[in-house]
Amino acid sequence: MTTYIPSITLPDAIFANPAASILVPVGLGLGVGYSVSPKRTRQTYLALKQPPFRPPPQIFGPAWTSLYALMGYAAYRAWTTGTASLNPNTLQLTKQGATLYTIQLGLNIIWMPLFFGLKRPIEATANITLLTAVTGYLTYVWSQVDTGAAWCLAPYLGWLGFATYLSAGTGYLNNWNFADKERNSTSSNTGSGMDKDYVNKAPEQK
């Protein structure tokens, strides 16, 4: 059982402030998304063989932003409710959840670089499987502190389950290797005239 570990847990001040609680995960999510390059991520996503029920790529930005905001609000609710409690067990669960929350946030932000940046589907699927398990346990822990916080995490947990299916399904359908989808192609956007592209990239709509 994970306990409260201050050295790897976000500062108390973040959890205690509603704006900070929401903006930290939203900002980290957006920052990682843009660091990997939205255009390249979209091209990779469209190039790979996908399992059934694949959402269109434009869904992911709004969906993740909403889920990050809900996640942050859940953290604020659980923290303020739990730290105000006179029950030592509730306080312990609150702080334990804070450590779990920080761990799952770290796992969350490294999935996209693993999957789209490094093109490591095996590691990315292992990562999101662990992320889903940690988030499920976090939801259980914080449900004992504040049911509202747990319900705020429910859509996120559901989406993680679906994302795990997509990650595993995409890896399996592409033989757990994204590199063989690439080819060299002429590009007017690079000084060398050569760039990485994908053999079955869907044409972009103008």
Side-chain angles (χ1 to χ4, degrees), residues 8 16 27 41 84 102 127 138 147 156:
I8 63 169
T41 298
T102 306
N127 168 275
L138 168 64
T147 55
Y156 174 49

Side-chain angles (χ1 to χ4, degrees), residues 49-114:
K49 295 178 182 177
Q50 298 274 352
F53 310 112
R54 171 183 82 171
Q58 59 267 28
I59 292 294
F60 289 97
W64 274 114
T65 301
S66 300
L67 292 170
Y68 282 130
L70 272 174
M71 177 201 310
Y73 180 66
Y76 166 73
R77 278 195 61 128
W79 182 264
T80 54
T81 300
T83 54
S85 175
L86 298 178
N87 186 332
N89 184 57
T90 300
L91 181 59
Q92 180 182 0
L93 288 170
T94 301
K95 292 188 173 184
Q96 178 187 354
T99 297
L100 289 168
Y101 176 88
T102 306
I103 292 172
Q104 70 81 26
L105 185 58
L107 290 170
N108 183 298
I109 62 175
I110 66 174
W111 180 86
M112 183 174 284
L114 280 175

Side-chain angles (χ1 to χ4, degrees), residues 24-43:
V24 165
V26 170
L28 286 173
L30 290 174
V32 169
Y34 279 103
S35 70
V36 178
S37 172
K39 182 179 180 180
R40 180 61 67 187
T41 298
R42 181 176 183 273
Q43 291 175 342

